Structures are given as structure tokens and as C-alpha cells.
Amino acid sequence: MKPAHTALAVLVAALWGVNFVVIDIGLDHFPPLLFCALRFLLAALPAIFLVGRPRVAWRWVVGVGLALGVGKFGLLFVGMNAGMPAGLSSLVLQVQSVFTAVLAFAFLRERPGPVRVVGMVVALAGIAVAAVDEGGSGPLGAFALVLVAAAFWGVSNVLTRKASPEAPFAFMVWTSAVPVLPLLALSLLFEGPRRDAEALAALDLTGVGAILFVALVTTLFGFSAWSRLLRRYPASTVAPYTLLVPVFGMSSAALFLAEPVSGLQWCAAALLVGGVALTSRGSAPDPAGSRPKAGLNFAHPPRGLNFAHPSQGLNSAHAPQGSDALDPPQGRDVLHPPRARVGKSSPAGD
């Protein structure tokens, strides 16, 4: 890759990693489901009126929109709101490549090679180490929510492969519109209209900035830049840069949020990143001289859009795989308990 394009790939990975910090900040301002809905609303509007409808069946647009928007990012935001650290979230989401490989084998008959199988085992070992560490120092339920979010990312990967959209940007914009109403309905049902109204009434520059970052910077800019790289270079050349996302995610969380990184977390990071690298490189090579399809491939790497992120993410926003500050009223909420930040004796804002 040319130096300028290498710098662009690193920049996108950095934005997707920092996106988890922005999500954490945004969750200080909004209930998680409302924040997620606003993120996709801004990603879809007004862009949906400026791009044509993707030439794929509606079932793929709806399926990917629900899997990514409601399943992946909805659970990610709820998990982080329940106490899952931003840096660790950026790491755990990378296990989506394992879920994608398993689902692709089950539904697309894509048989993984031996190197890829070894990579999956190594990555799962990293998840096990991270779970042991989180179980001893943080809410294991929040960890499980982010893990399930990664599984939904795998579902969206398989659906996107089936859809094979010719215009990935338009596909991303239209799928962003799908989860808006379901997320708003879930927010009204579980977070309550009063809590949503209070968050919107207290909207400030930090909250607006968080939404703009996760929707426009990490989703629209990140997606466009990544698509440009994939059009110029083979996926195998661009893919390794996605492994930088948890590096930037964990380091930026430690820098801006003062999140401690334990020795077990570094061990988990080494196992997971190494396993994902083997999983990515263990896939069948493209035919000689072939160019990557224009369609999205969220697996490794996304063929046009990688949400780790965040959600993206579509991460992120997340941006992803972002962050924000009106705290919910006092009281028990089974589905969305008060946030338990690492290093804090009480939930944020309480």
C-alpha cells in the first residue's frame, strides 16, 4: 500500500477504537437504547434521500439492519451502560470473526481450513481469559451482553454475504434506517418516556458531539474510507489493520477514561488478536488477479464497513463500534442497571 493509504487505514482503525470511548461518554448523556436510535437516525438522515436504494431484496436490508442495529449495537450499548469497560468491549467484539466463521460453515457451507480452526480456538481462549478477569473484577452479565452482541455481528456478516450489495454505501445508509423505530420503541418500553425526555431536554454540546462522532465520523467517513481502500487493494492486504482497533480502543480508554488494564486483560488481548489474525489469514485465498466484491463483508475485514465499532458502530457509529451525560433517575432497572464504572465506587452520575 502507498504510504498515504497506509496512514488512512491506521486512521480509520484509530477512529473505530476511540469510538468506544465516545460511546462511553455518550452513555453519560443518554439511555443506551435511545442513544443507539439517535446514532442510526443521524447516520440515515439525510443521506437516505441522497443515495439510491440498494439493488438487493428488502429482506436483506431489514435483516442486516435488525441484526446490526438492534442486536449488535443495541446490546453493546446496553452492556457498556451496565458496566462493561470501553477498552474491553473493543477487544471482546473482535470475536465476531469466530462467530462469522461458524455461521458461514453452518449456513453458507464455507469450510474453514486448519489454520482458521486453530485461530478460532486461540481467540476463544482469549475470550475465556477475559471472562475470568471480568468475573472477578466487573459485572459478568455486562460481559455476556457484549459477547452476544459479537454473535449478532456474525449474523449480520452472513446476511450481508448473502445480500452481496453492489453499492455498499447505499446499503449501509438504508440498513441504518431500519433499527431506528425498533430501538425507539424498546427505549420507550424499557427506559421510559420520562427518562428519554429528560435526556433530550438536557442535551448539551458534549452529547451532540458524541452523536455526531459515532454517526458521521466512525460510520460515514470510516465506511467510505475503508471502501476506498478495499477497491484499490486486496482484502488480505487491508484486513490486518482491523486488528489495531482493540489496541486503540484499550489504550484510548486507559488514557481518557482512566480504565485500568490488568495483566489478564493483556493476556486476553494477545490471545484474541492473535486468534483473529489466524482466523483472517486462514480463509481461502481469492483467485489470482481477482478483486474484492463491492459488497459489504463485516467479517474480516468488513468489505466496506467495520463496526467494531463499534459499533460501529453502523459502527461505530458504534462507531461503533462512541460516549456521553444525563443519568437515569434513581431506582432499580433490571434491564438497564446503573452503570458501574471501573475504578468508581458508585455508578456514574449517582
Side-chain angles (χ1 to χ4, degrees):
M1 292 175 61
K2 295 180 178 180
H5 294 150
T6 298
L8 180 61
V10 173
L11 173 63
V12 172
L15 292 174
W16 284 338
V18 173
N19 186 56
F20 288 88
V21 173
V22 181
I23 291 174
D24 191 89
I25 295 172
L27 289 172
D28 287 337
H29 294 258
F30 306 98
L33 294 175
L34 176 64
F35 184 31
C36 195
L38 294 174
R39 171 252 185 92
F40 283 109
L41 178 64
L42 189 58
L45 297 178
I48 199 170
F49 299 109
L50 305 176
V51 299
R53 186 177 71 84
R55 296 180 180 179
V56 298
W58 280 110
R59 65 179 181 273
W60 304 126
V61 176
V62 174
V64 172
L66 292 177
L68 272 176
V70 180
K72 183 215 170 178
F73 282 106
L75 290 175
L76 171 64
F77 281 35
V78 171
M80 291 183 64
N81 187 70
M84 183 68 169
L88 187 58
S89 297
S90 70
L91 176 66
V92 171
L93 273 183
Q94 299 307 310
V95 80
Q96 58 84 18
S97 64
V98 176
F99 287 114
T100 300
V102 172
L103 291 170
F105 172 72
F107 296 102
L108 302 180
R109 304 304 179 193
E110 296 182 3
R111 187 178 300 276
V115 175
R116 199 170 189 182
V117 172
V118 171
M120 292 165 60
V121 173
V122 173
L124 291 176
I127 289 296
V129 172
V132 169
D133 180 71
E134 187 67 11
S137 61
L140 193 57
F143 181 94
L145 286 173
V146 176
L147 193 60
V148 176
F152 271 103
W153 192 357
V155 172
S156 71
N157 293 340
V158 173
L159 294 177
T160 302
R161 288 185 184 183
K162 294 287 290 184
S164 297
E166 296 180 356
F169 183 81
F171 186 72
M172 181 272 295
V173 170
W174 281 77
T175 55
S176 294
V178 172
V180 174
L181 291 181
L183 286 169
L184 286 176
L186 290 171
S187 179
L188 291 173
L189 180 62
F190 294 113
E191 295 166 346
R194 178 181 176 181
R195 187 177 170 190
D196 288 350
E198 289 175 345
L200 294 175
L203 187 63
D204 58 14
L205 289 178
T206 303
V208 171
I211 296 175
L212 290 174
F213 187 90
V214 299
L216 303 182
V217 177
T218 59
T219 299
L220 297 183
F221 170 76
F223 163 81
S224 301
W226 200 257
S227 297
R228 189 176 305 113
L229 292 172
L230 288 172
R231 284 196 297 268
R232 295 182 64 94
Y233 302 99
S236 59
T237 300
V238 183
Y241 290 95
T242 61
L243 299 179
L244 295 175
V245 172
V247 175
F248 284 111
M250 296 179 71
S251 59
S252 61
L255 178 63
F256 297 110
L257 302 177
E259 288 186 358
V261 182
S262 67
L264 279 178
Q265 286 185 12
W266 284 120
C267 179
L271 289 171
L272 187 52
V273 171
V276 170
L278 289 174
T279 303
S280 301
R281 293 184 177 277
S283 56
D286 295 333
S290 64
R291 298 185 63 182
K293 294 182 180 180
L296 293 171
N297 181 339
F298 296 102
H300 43 266
R303 302 179 88 72
L305 181 60
N306 182 327
F307 295 94
H309 56 212
S311 195
Q312 3 183 269
L314 243 110
N315 201 156
S316 317
H318 336 190
Q321 47 47 92
S323 31
D324 319 61
L326 177 73
D327 292 307
Q330 299 289 343
R332 295 286 182 181
D333 187 339
V334 176
L335 290 179
H336 310 291
R339 305 185 65 206
R341 296 282 190 95
V342 175
K344 295 188 179 180
S345 59
S346 61
D350 288 350

